[in-house]
Amino acid sequence: MAQVNMPNPIPLLMVAVILLVSMSQTVAASDSFMDPQGPIAAIQKTHLLRATALIMVAVVPVLVLVPLIALRYRRRKNSSAAYRPEWDFSAKLEFLMWGVPVLIVALLSFYLWKATHRLDPYSTAFGEDPALRVQVVGLDWKWLFIYPDLGIASVGEFGIPTKRQVAMTLTTDTVMQSFMIPALAGQIYAMPGMTTQLHLVADAPEVMQGENTQYNGRGFTKQKFRTVAMPNDEFEAWVQKVRDNGIQLNPATYQTLAMRTDRDEVQAVLGTAKMPKDALYFTMEEDLFHSILHRYHGGEAVLVDQQPGTASFGLEAQK
């Protein structure tokens, strides 16, 4: 009989160790809901771990028993394993095989229903203090954060106070986009002419990454922003810094901001020496958010030269 050469297990084990180490480093990154910085992401993490544990109840016995059964009942001489060629049914085994998965699905359904209500993005059940209102506009390829009660706006930097609810209203002035701050709250879609909501809370001072997860062209990979959670006194100082160093966000400024440019490109046009190198600060008086929103509600199609994201509106910011 020809001898079968078994593969050397050492390289396979090394690959497995490398994968486990890289996965653990990815999970340990601060920009993940596995390292939650707020109650919403903490609930998401708990839900994932609970669902994984329940699923393992069915998966682990299969992974263990299949090779053991194949080894014990393999064809061989002088085998001590029972051989029952007429056997074809066991009520206990059928009950176990079907009962456990049914119980797992029932428990997962219950926890999913419970988590769906607890993680409702429109929910405001986080604290009793008045929420900080923030209006978010998705553009190509940057996010504009408007603080209507504070008269400021920012791009590339999203400042929020800790231990205070932030009530966000989102829309876009271009194609559909997907807003997400993994360490604080889950993903939610935004579309032009429509609004959606997302509530979040940061437990402690931290810097986290936010992004767009909906592919939208060449600047997609750069459509990220820095979320800075800070104590209330530091947040008030940040608001004053934006007021002191920001430029006026008027129709002409917004025209430049809304062109198909990533944050670095528009920073080169609108940025000043008083601003950070990776963020834009604005002051504003007009209700820009609702002006953007209502342009799509006039009963007629928005003209091409008035639609951000088109060549007629402007492909690139001009220096």
Side-chain angles (χ1 to χ4, degrees):
M1 178 180 293
Q3 184 176 2
V4 178
N5 295 326
M6 298 298 291
N8 188 349
I10 295 179
L12 297 177
L13 291 175
M14 293 180 63
V15 171
V17 170
I18 293 173
L19 288 175
L20 288 173
V21 171
S22 61
M23 289 177 64
S24 64
Q25 290 175 344
T26 302
V27 170
S30 60
D31 296 325
S32 168
F33 75 102
M34 296 301 290
D35 182 22
Q37 302 299 319
I40 300 173
I43 295 173
Q44 292 174 329
K45 177 183 177 181
T46 301
H47 182 65
L48 174 68
L49 295 178
R50 181 188 292 118
T52 303
L54 286 172
I55 293 172
M56 287 298 104
V57 172
V59 172
V60 170
V62 173
L63 295 178
V64 173
L65 291 178
V66 166
L68 289 180
I69 292 174
L71 179 65
R72 176 173 175 77
Y73 295 100
R74 71 187 187 279
R75 185 176 182 180
R76 56 178 173 166
K77 293 181 178 178
N78 302 323
S79 174
S80 61
Y83 177 64
R84 300 173 181 173
E86 303 300 328
W87 178 89
D88 62 357
F89 181 77
S90 168
K92 294 181 179 179
L93 189 58
E94 290 289 331
F95 180 80
L96 183 65
M97 291 172 56
W98 289 101
V100 171
V102 168
L103 180 61
I104 292 175
V105 171
L107 288 173
L108 285 176
S109 300
F110 169 74
Y111 285 120
L112 179 61
W113 174 84
K114 190 175 180 181
T116 300
H117 286 276
R118 292 185 67 185
L119 298 176
D120 181 357
Y122 281 54
S123 174
T124 60
F126 295 98
E128 298 179 355
D129 295 334
L132 171 68
R133 293 197 306 141
V134 179
Q135 297 164 335
V136 184
V137 181
L139 300 169
D140 288 334
W141 291 278
K142 76 283 289 184
W143 292 98
L144 170 63
F145 300 98
I146 300 172
Y147 300 74
D149 299 328
L150 304 175
I152 62 171
S154 65
V155 170
E157 186 174 274
F158 178 35
I160 57 173
T162 57
K163 300 186 183 303
R164 181 181 176 187
Q165 183 179 186
V166 179
M168 309 173 69
T169 305
L170 302 97
T171 189
T172 75
D173 203 7
T174 177
V175 297
M176 181 174 73
Q177 299 192 8
S178 174
F179 182 92
M180 186 175 186
I181 305 175
L184 286 182
Q187 159 283 330
I188 194 163
Y189 288 107
M191 299 180 66
M194 305 173 68
T195 62
T196 188
Q197 298 180 29
L198 181 65
H199 290 77
L200 53 84
V201 179
D203 287 333
E206 186 61 73
V207 178
M208 299 150 283
Q209 179 176 275
E211 59 188 329
N212 168 34
T213 62
Q214 175 79 26
Y215 179 74
N216 59 347
R218 69 170 177 85
F220 165 71
T221 57
K222 289 188 174 182
Q223 194 172 354
K224 304 179 187 301
F225 59 90
R226 182 174 62 253
T227 304
V228 185
M230 57 195 100
N232 192 57
D233 54 343
E234 294 184 15
F235 175 73
E236 292 179 357
W238 179 81
V239 171
Q240 190 59 45
K241 183 175 72 172
V242 174
R243 287 181 181 141
D244 295 340
N245 301 321
I247 61 175
Q248 185 69 26
L249 183 57
N250 51 34
T253 311
Y254 183 74
Q255 177 80 17
T256 301
L257 186 64
M259 291 180 179
R260 289 173 62 83
T261 52
D262 60 41
R263 189 198 48 73
D264 293 334
E265 293 167 338
V266 77
Q267 185 91 26
V269 180
L270 298 178
T272 69
K274 296 182 179 180
M275 298 181 189
K277 294 181 179 179
D278 56 355
L280 294 171
Y281 293 160
F282 301 98
T283 60
M284 54 190 304
E285 298 177 356
E286 301 178 1
D287 188 358
L288 177 63
F289 184 82
H290 288 94
S291 298
I292 295 170
L293 192 63
H294 291 161
R295 288 201 299 112
Y296 298 91
H297 294 191
E300 298 179 356
V302 178
L303 299 177
V304 176
D305 60 354
Q306 297 177 12
Q307 174 60 66
T310 65
S312 299
F313 187 88
L315 288 177
E316 305 290 343
Q318 301 298 318
K319 296 184 179 179

